[in-house]
Amino acid sequence: FTGRWVFWAGLAGVVVPYLLAIAGLSARIYIAERAPVSNMYESMVWLAISLVSFALVFGAIYRSRLFLAGAAALGFITLVLADYLPIDASISPLVPVLKSAWLIYHVQTIVASYGAFALAGFLGHVFLFHFMATRQRTPEQREFARQLDLYSYRTMQVGVLLLTVGTILGGVWANASWGRYWGWDPKETWALISLLGY
């Protein structure tokens, strides 16, 4: 096989399951007549779709196959875990407090940020392994490390933006549901700590 055939086979190996996951989640949305925000299973499928979406966009922008490799590995792991972990995958109606458009925007945005962060984490690990494996750094190796640093930073920027927007939308949803924007409960507090940490 030449490099071109391997690339196209790899791309198909990511895009076909990606499209199937989108079709499956779309069917679930149609059947449930609601957004996929009620359980961990739906969130994990949305996470896989989000991270592959980011990988395809960043891969096209930077012309790098590393994003595709990250999408293949992380998307596969996420979907396998969604299928095999003992989590509830049933379709059930939302409880009344969760019936809000703000919840949909909040949850989908936050979970999408996790997809960007997962991709940044993959690239960071590739950077670390590259750094540990290369004792004498040639100009090509330095350039590769610089690119890895840039890719990781850019994906983290997208993650921080989405996490910020998602946290703000969470406050709007809390106000619509409970009459307060912020209550310093553990979930809100750790969302703020995570955001400030990034």
Side-chain angles (χ1 to χ4, degrees):
F1 289 112
T2 64
R4 182 177 299 227
W5 284 105
V6 171
F7 169 75
W8 286 109
L11 183 64
V14 172
V15 171
V16 170
Y18 169 70
L19 295 175
L20 289 172
I22 290 173
L25 195 62
S26 299
R28 190 176 180 97
I29 292 168
Y30 177 76
I31 292 166
E33 297 179 345
R34 60 167 176 73
V37 295
S38 72
N39 59 36
M40 186 67 170
Y41 177 82
E42 294 170 345
S43 294
M44 290 182 76
V45 174
W46 176 246
L47 171 65
I49 290 170
S50 298
L51 76 88
V52 173
S53 298
F54 291 131
L56 291 172
V57 170
F58 278 112
I61 291 171
Y62 290 108
R63 300 278 194 199
S64 174
R65 297 176 184 182
L66 275 173
F67 295 101
L68 187 63
L74 296 172
F76 175 77
I77 290 168
T78 303
L79 291 176
V80 166
L81 288 175
D83 194 38
Y84 285 103
L85 284 177
I87 55 178
D88 183 20
S90 64
I91 299 174
S92 57
L94 290 175
V95 296
V97 74
L98 299 180
K99 291 181 178 176
S100 167
W102 292 113
L103 170 76
I104 296 167
Y105 304 141
H106 163 65
V107 172
Q108 301 296 79
T109 306
I110 290 287
V111 175
S113 77
Y114 299 159
F117 286 136
L119 199 56
F122 171 83
L123 294 166
H125 279 83
V126 172
F127 179 89
L128 287 174
F129 289 128
H130 172 74
F131 186 79
M132 290 187 305
T134 55
R135 294 283 180 236
Q136 297 186 0
R137 292 169 182 83
T138 64
E140 293 83 19
Q141 290 169 333
R142 281 193 215 105
E143 177 60 23
F144 181 65
R146 189 194 66 73
Q147 288 176 345
L148 283 171
D149 182 53
L150 174 69
Y151 299 161
S152 182
Y153 183 68
R154 290 293 182 237
T155 52
M156 227 180 298
Q157 284 180 313
V158 171
V160 169
L161 175 65
L162 290 172
L163 187 62
T164 303
V165 171
T167 303
I168 292 167
L169 289 171
V172 173
W173 169 54
N175 185 55
S177 296
W178 293 289
R180 59 157 179 83
Y181 287 98
W182 197 263
W184 294 103
D185 69 26
K187 192 187 320 182
E188 293 169 344
T189 303
W190 280 103
L192 180 62
I193 290 169
S194 298
L195 181 59
L196 293 175
Y198 277 110

